[in-house]
Amino acid sequence: MRRPLTHSLVPLGLVGLLSTAQALAQRLDAPFNDGWRMATGDVQGAQAPAFDDAAWKPVTLPRAFNEDEAFAGDIHDQSTGITWYRKRFVLPTHKGPAAGGRAILDFEGVRQAGDVYVNGVLAGGHENGVTAFGVDATKLLKPAPFVNVIAVRVDNDWKYKERATGSGFQWNNNNFNVNYGGIHRAVRLHLTGDLHQTLPLYSSLGTTGVYVWADGFDIKGRAATVHAESQVRNDGARPRTFAYRVTLKDVDGKPAGQFTAPAVTIAPGETKMVSASKRLSDLHFWSWGYGYLYAVTTELVENGKVVDSALTRTGFRKTEFRNGTVFLNDRALQVHGYAQRTSNEWPALGTDIPPWISDFSNGLMVESGGNLVRWMHIAPARQDVESSDRVGLLQAMPAGDAESDVSGRRWEQRVEAMRDAIIAFRNNPSIVFYEGGNENISEDHMAQLKVVRDQFDPHGGRAIGSREMQGSKVAEYGGEMLYINKSAKKPVWAMEYSRDESARKFQDAFTPPFHKDSPDYNRNQDSMVAETVRRWFDYWRERPGGGDRVSSGGVNIIFSDSNTHFRGDNNYRRSGEVDAMRIPKEGFFTHQVMWDGWVDVEKPRAHLVGHWNYAAGVVKDVTVVSSADSVELVLNGKSLGQGVKSDGFLFTFKGVAYAPGALVAIARDAKGQETARDERVTTGPAVALRLTPRTGPGGWKADAADVALVDVEAVDAEGRRVPTALDLVSFDVAGPAEWRGGIAQGDSKGGAKPTEAPVSASGEPVTKGPAGVDAVTQYAGANRKDDNYILAKTLPVEGGVNRVALRSTLAAGKVTVTATAEGLKPATITLDAVAPTADAQLLPVSLERGPTPTTPAFKVRRDTLGPAKILAGSNADTAGATADDDETTHWASDGQLANAWIEYDLGKPQVADEMVLKLIGWRLRSYPLRITMDGQVVYEGEAPKSLGYVTLPLKPVKGQRLRIALTGATADRDGFGKIVEITGAKAGFDTGAEKVKAGGALGIIEAEIYRKR
């Protein structure tokens, strides 16, 4: 269910069209994106008002000068240099400077550094390329009818150095932060009176704006105390006395509360904090998939008249971080979602997309079952932050880094970026984590960031931490990049797991183009599903409800294919659960099955992987992903029996002989009752094309920025998509539209290419440079130099479907799109590009998942049996490290096999069902073990290699002394093949294998004993 907010944004023309409420409030807050011109190159004299820019390209912002290159090539080869932007406009006669007030230009993002000129004078700028900044243009703008000129010079050099210090910015990195150069995010114009609430633009203006929060939550009673605080500035020449009034409206625009603080007086030139609060009832709390937002208006009322009014759209939710678990509105939530590149880019558009496209993309994350997005390396765009609010997607927000801790000025830059991002986004309910780094940082650095959080967002209910940091006394959360961590205290979740990739086109070994896995990480869709299930099961098995120490989840890297940090035979990364145009892959539906719940699965599902269109004689394994207890496969009404269950969710049917017809997977619970089913039907051959348009909720706006998406499918005579079709489709467009196209595997120009990434003699990927202090590892890659059909008007469908994009122009009118393919009936659709309204509605919010359920999120399935005493055959003084809830400590025996044992005295006779171990060198070291209870063998065998913890089933024998003993020499051999991007068989894998030599030593990081319920 999606519902619109009824309050509206006001677009700005040359003189601005104002609503009555804004006119009374003496304030304007409006888009400033239209009417710009852009030119590449360092054009001399371009800042001068009289400069002739008639030959420059007209653009509506945001607009990166190199957007055409998005996905067309390696980001290391992206065009860089100087770009200029210019805009002419006339000030309103009754706002801002024209009425004794102020004018602020608010740039949401310029990449990398921008200088802003107002009527030929340098008025301000910004260099970090990440956070928003403001320029106070009050004294430089001239009143109507004078035509003011804004000119912006942008430098997006990869090696840009900060002018005052000569220091580069760590995040200006050509592996992780794609370089869409220029004004690549939106711009707004703020006109205020001389008495006004400030803006959250700290580095550039020194101001913090409005802060709204709630506390004293009564979730069941739907009540909380709502607080509002505004930084108020008096730029006038006389003292001002005013009251501070706060008004709330709900998602339907209905009154939801009002409260006022006593009048205060502020002196000329003074800046003062004012605040008010009130306990409110009948509240709706923001939640996962429930983007309930309130419109909070904070007003300065002088002599009964509103002289300044600011609107904050926010939601209220309660968070807690304890017992190794995240709690949202008093309900446990295991993190499952995506580590997504902050660029969140699209082919041939980069980041130049309208807000509804952000909702479409981010909403798909929620639809797939994701509850959190971890933006990577740099702070997200304001557009994506606000979009996540609307769709109900929790966020982890970094500020700026690449990998590794840094020092000196580069660390100061990171602190400044975090401060600015916190101030900018502290009213956005979807942000629940502040991330201090994509690698562990020092305790001192972590403490510095925590001070910043406590100063500027002390009430927001957001944990601050960093990747790794399990042993930190300061960080409030942590977690490895790849491995499974557990804790009984702060939440630990994997920041980037399941790193393999698979192009949507490559379905299986029996479907053209018959892609088999090569190299290890480069999978087809069948194989990728199995890997996706295996990797999530490691976290889900250790979820809350499984004892004192739990995993609080993990985020899969990535959601949509990204132009950054590619590894293999493409110049972009294909780890996404959707492709770059957001067409789902099999992993999307796999996650829907596994992630349908806050912790435990709450709605049983089944997904039959792949299609059922094969050549005669094909015999293949069929896989079904389901949360059911059993799955039966039925072909044309005949049962093929029950699937073999593995990894919690994967059901495999070996050697199924293809026969055309209907293949049905029927999922059942433990009582044999059907809970879900999924079906694949053999289609006929493709005979026609079908086009389906997608536009924003208000239609396709003729503003030279809005985008329409068009899906193209190859369908059979019954109108069913043909899942094996690879037809080459040509498009023709007539009418006012700009073709931006789509993406497909390959090259529109053709040509032979290398196919694999180079590896060293040891089998590890070749690196261009080592990682070290203040540095990152760079991987060579070996992309095939394909253009991926970027901007081509002829491109193939893949799996029977593809998607293309068109951008509107400033002309309204009908746009006709025609698609043709050899041997197929063509398709035509007509789109209406409509003139944008002066007072357009906001984008709708999604309430589809409903409020936070009041039922428990999980069932307790086992209890921890804590040891009363721990003994060991050697090094007994450190044996307690195996039960200290600290993964940075360990116990190891002395290397003599006879002494390689450890014993846990349970204090009294008890029955233990499971042993969970984190062993030194867990992913590459083999451990032959014998576990006994009071001398009776309850487990014997080689502990499986893992990506963290391994669960060993125990024979249920009642006893008091449980002993683990090594029965033979350990040996190292990686159990997971190549995990490209991570080098070093030992230290690089962070498994601790370098700390304890292989051979006769038993090494344990954590040991847990459980009794099942």
Side-chain angles (χ1 to χ4, degrees), residues 533-547:
V533 173
R534 282 192 293 265
R535 295 288 70 83
W536 173 247
F537 182 61
D538 288 334
Y539 301 94
W540 189 77
R541 183 170 50 191
E542 305 300 335
R543 67 194 182 280

Side-chain angles (χ1 to χ4, degrees), residues 676-975:
R677 66 169 55 202
D678 198 17
E679 182 181 49
R680 298 291 176 269
V681 177
T682 306
T683 71
V687 298
L689 295 175
R690 178 169 63 210
L691 298 178
T692 305
R694 298 174 184 266
T695 59
W700 190 23
K701 298 179 178 63
D703 59 3
D706 200 9
V707 170
L709 303 176
V710 178
D711 293 0
V712 57
E713 298 171 279
V715 299
D716 70 2
E718 296 183 37
R720 300 172 298 191
R721 182 192 300 174
V722 179
T724 54
L726 298 169
D727 299 86
L728 197 63
V729 181
S730 296
F731 291 87
D732 181 73
V733 179
E738 178 189 355
W739 177 260
R740 303 311 298 171
I743 190 170
Q745 291 287 302
D747 195 331
S748 63
K749 300 182 293 294
K753 308 289 166 63
T755 59
E756 292 189 9
V759 296
S760 66
S762 65
E764 297 297 336
V766 174
T767 62
K768 294 170 64 177
V773 177
D774 294 3
V776 297
T777 303
Q778 295 185 350
Y779 295 88
N783 80 79
R784 306 186 327 160
K785 306 295 183 184
D786 290 350
D787 69 4
N788 304 315
Y789 292 89
I790 300 302
L791 290 174
K793 283 197 172 181
T794 298
L795 71 163
V797 292
E798 297 177 336
V801 63
N802 214 323
R803 179 174 291 152
V804 296
L806 296 90
R807 180 186 281 144
S808 66
T809 68
L810 293 176
K814 295 189 178 298
V815 177
T816 301
V817 181
T818 301
T820 59
E822 185 177 353
L824 303 183
K825 182 181 178 180
T828 298
I829 59 168
T830 299
L831 301 168
D832 286 316
V834 298
T837 61
D839 196 13
Q841 280 197 333
L842 290 177
L843 288 171
V845 302
S846 174
L847 306 177
E848 291 178 5
R849 289 190 62 91
T852 304
T854 57
T855 55
F858 60 86
K859 292 182 179 179
V860 178
R861 61 192 184 279
R862 65 187 184 189
D863 297 304
T864 302
L865 304 180
K869 183 168 56 176
I870 305 176
L871 305 174
S874 56
N875 298 329
D877 58 325
T878 59
T882 65
D884 64 354
D885 194 26
D886 185 349
E887 294 177 332
T888 65
T889 64
H890 72 275
W891 165 84
S893 63
D894 61 6
Q896 301 298 312
L897 190 59
N899 300 330
W901 62 267
I902 189 168
E903 184 173 281
Y904 299 91
D905 187 328
L906 302 180
K908 63 181 180 180
Q910 300 186 69
V911 175
D913 300 292
E914 287 181 338
M915 187 93 207
V916 175
L917 297 172
K918 189 166 193 176
L919 298 162
I920 287 284
W922 55 82
R923 67 163 291 169
L924 66 153
R925 183 162 296 175
S926 61
Y927 284 89
L929 299 177
R930 179 184 297 123
I931 303 177
T932 59
M933 179 69 86
D934 289 350
Q936 183 174 345
V937 176
V938 294
Y939 173 88
E940 187 158 17
E942 184 174 296
K945 293 168 187 173
S946 71
L947 292 180
Y949 288 85
V950 61
T951 299
L952 305 178
L954 304 181
K955 181 180 177 180
V957 173
K958 192 170 187 179
Q960 182 170 329
R961 297 183 307 279
L962 188 145
R963 176 178 289 205
I964 307 172
L966 189 67
T967 60
T970 64
D972 287 352
R973 185 173 180 179
D974 189 13

Side-chain angles (χ1 to χ4, degrees), residues 70-153:
F71 289 92
D74 179 349
I75 70 166
H76 301 83
D77 299 328
Q78 278 186 309
S79 298
T80 60
I82 308 298
T83 308
W84 278 90
Y85 298 79
R86 286 170 55 88
K87 175 182 170 72
R88 293 174 172 84
F89 74 105
V90 177
L91 276 174
T93 57
H94 53 294
K95 292 288 179 185
R102 307 202 69 77
I104 306 294
L105 295 169
D106 176 2
F107 292 83
E108 294 182 12
V110 170
R111 179 78 157 88
Q112 173 68 40
D115 294 317
V116 180
Y117 295 86
V118 178
N119 293 326
V121 179
L122 181 63
H126 204 51
E127 295 182 274
N128 78 22
V130 171
T131 53
F133 67 96
V135 173
D136 190 337
T138 304
K139 296 180 180 179
L140 298 175
L141 292 173
K142 299 181 181 180
F146 186 85
V147 178
N148 294 280
V149 177
I150 307 296
V152 184
R153 180 186 185 272

Side-chain angles (χ1 to χ4, degrees), residues 388-695:
S388 296
D389 288 345
R390 290 191 293 269
V391 303
L393 179 65
L394 284 73
Q395 300 181 76
M397 185 202 78
D401 77 348
E403 284 184 346
S404 80
D405 205 353
V406 288
S407 58
R409 177 57 191 154
R410 292 214 287 173
W411 172 251
E412 293 172 355
Q413 291 166 343
R414 281 174 59 168
V415 174
E416 293 164 3
M418 177 62 77
R419 178 195 61 204
D420 284 7
I422 286 175
I423 293 170
F425 299 138
R426 60 187 179 173
N427 294 318
N428 296 93
S430 53
I431 293 180
V432 294
F433 294 106
Y434 292 138
E435 180 179 291
N438 195 51
E439 283 279 1
N440 64 310
I441 59 177
S442 70
E443 286 287 82
D444 178 62
H445 283 174
M446 190 74 255
Q448 290 182 49
L449 295 182
K450 192 172 181 180
V451 167
V452 171
R453 190 278 310 270
D454 291 345
Q455 179 179 358
F456 294 106
D457 186 20
H459 310 294
R462 299 176 176 96
I464 190 161
S466 185
R467 209 178 91 192
E468 302 176 353
M469 309 300 287
Q470 294 94 314
S472 171
K473 305 300 183 185
V474 181
E476 296 167 344
Y477 76 96
E480 281 280 5
M481 177 176 70
L482 178 66
Y483 302 126
I484 297 90
N485 305 118
K486 297 171 67 176
S487 175
K489 304 181 186 73
K490 65 187 176 191
V492 288
W493 46 276
M495 307 294 178
E496 306 168 26
Y497 83 90
S498 194
R499 305 180 68 79
D500 288 3
E501 58 187 85
S502 174
R504 186 173 63 82
K505 180 178 183 178
F506 301 137
Q507 300 189 58
D508 57 42
F510 302 96
T511 304
F514 309 110
H515 181 78
K516 294 185 178 181
D517 296 351
S518 176
D520 289 351
Y521 65 86
N522 187 3
R523 299 178 179 273
N524 60 42
Q525 291 289 289
D526 263 11
S527 170
M528 190 66 178
V529 165
E531 177 69 4
T532 297
V533 173
R534 282 192 293 265
R535 295 288 70 83
W536 173 247
F537 182 61
D538 288 334
Y539 301 94
W540 189 77
R541 183 170 50 191
E542 305 300 335
R543 67 194 182 280
D548 296 339
R549 302 186 70 248
V550 298
S551 165
S552 51
V555 289
N556 183 314
I557 181 172
I558 49 185
F559 178 66
S560 61
D561 291 352
S562 172
N563 210 173
T564 61
H565 212 191
F566 68 89
R567 298 177 291 181
D569 59 355
N570 287 80
N571 54 34
Y572 65 96
R573 190 181 187 113
R574 300 164 302 163
S575 298
E577 309 313 309
V578 297
D579 71 8
M581 295 298 292
R582 277 53 173 185
I583 300 175
K585 305 180 190 178
E586 292 290 337
F588 179 93
F589 306 105
T590 299
H591 283 140
Q592 279 186 325
V593 173
M594 301 189 299
W595 290 353
D596 198 336
W598 285 56
V599 178
D600 291 346
V601 174
E602 296 167 10
K603 178 185 176 183
R605 293 176 184 251
H607 174 63
L608 205 167
V609 178
H611 59 86
W612 199 238
N613 277 36
Y614 291 99
V618 166
V619 178
K620 74 179 296 281
D621 295 349
V622 173
T623 52
V624 177
V625 183
S626 180
S627 50
D629 292 281
S630 66
V631 175
E632 179 187 12
L633 198 63
V634 177
L635 177 58
N636 295 329
K638 180 181 178 181
S639 176
L640 302 182
Q642 305 290 315
V644 176
K645 188 175 184 178
S646 61
D647 299 304
F649 299 95
L650 195 67
F651 293 83
T652 304
F653 299 83
K654 290 286 188 180
V656 177
Y658 170 73
L663 186 68
V664 183
I666 304 173
R668 295 186 174 90
D669 61 19
K671 297 179 180 179
Q673 298 296 312
E674 180 179 328
T675 57
R677 66 169 55 202
D678 198 17
E679 182 181 49
R680 298 291 176 269
V681 177
T682 306
T683 71
V687 298
L689 295 175
R690 178 169 63 210
L691 298 178
T692 305
R694 298 174 184 266
T695 59

